[in-house]
Amino acid sequence: REAAPARVFESCEPMRLGGDSVHAFFELAAGQTDVVFERRSGANGARVWATRVPAVDYTDGPCGFVATSSLLALSTRDESAQSTLVALNHAGTVQWRTTLPTPLPAELRAADDGALLVASQQDLPGGFATVAERRRASDGGIDWAVELPGRAVDWRVVGGEVRIAWSVDDGAAELHLQRRVAASGALVEGHMAVAEGLAIR
């Protein structure tokens, strides 16, 4: 990569897009953190395009980076109260950006139709919970959202379904499993098991 006058680092694994790779380079300069997305040719490493997104909420640590059939989406982390979620199309144009009310990076998954599935830990009136939501590729609007009363959440997309597992430790450890329709968020079925132990996945 070309030299930059400021500190540059790459916290996310690059994404594969066709035969190319897409990188998210963070640059610390002028009291803020910018992220520079670069798509590079898989054949010779030449830069196909580069897009700078200024002033993202970021501190050192992990981030979420995923490619859907329509978008490239990045979620950062921050040490205070919010994190940045930004989405670009495959040509490198910013489609939308928003902030999430959580200092932790969101977990991102790709829906089959190109939409973005987002799970973020948030401090809600009833306590910490994970908010799972589907965001439209066009404008980042929320099609549906559900609150899951747990922090340790594992989820994946299987066909047209989202399969979610999370645990709650309230005296006894509870393991919850849900299947939801990815397009609508409708519950297909849910199960709950109780086990002894401090933490389960």
Side-chain angles (χ1 to χ4, degrees), residues 167-173 195-200:
S167 60
V168 177
D169 180 21
D170 187 14
E196 294 182 0
L198 296 179
I200 52 178

Side-chain angles (χ1 to χ4, degrees), residues 67-71 90 110-115:
T68 77
S69 59
S70 304
L71 295 175
H90 289 186
D112 288 347
D113 61 356

Side-chain angles (χ1 to χ4, degrees), residues 63-147:
C63 52
F65 197 23
V66 72
T68 77
S69 59
S70 304
L71 295 175
L72 298 161
L74 175 77
S75 174
T76 64
R77 71 179 296 273
D78 184 71
E79 63 185 5
S80 56
Q82 65 184 21
S83 58
T84 298
L85 178 62
V86 61
L88 290 73
N89 64 24
H90 289 186
T93 302
V94 176
Q95 293 290 99
W96 47 268
R97 72 178 283 175
T98 187
T99 56
L100 300 174
T102 173
L104 301 174
E107 291 193 25
L108 308 178
R109 300 288 186 270
D112 288 347
D113 61 356
L116 182 66
L117 301 172
V118 182
S120 59
Q121 294 183 25
Q122 298 182 19
D123 188 6
L124 302 176
F128 275 99
T130 297
V131 177
E133 57 194 20
R134 172 189 162 102
R135 290 185 174 262
R136 294 188 294 272
S138 58
D139 59 3
I142 299 173
D143 289 328
W144 57 261
V146 294
E147 295 179 11

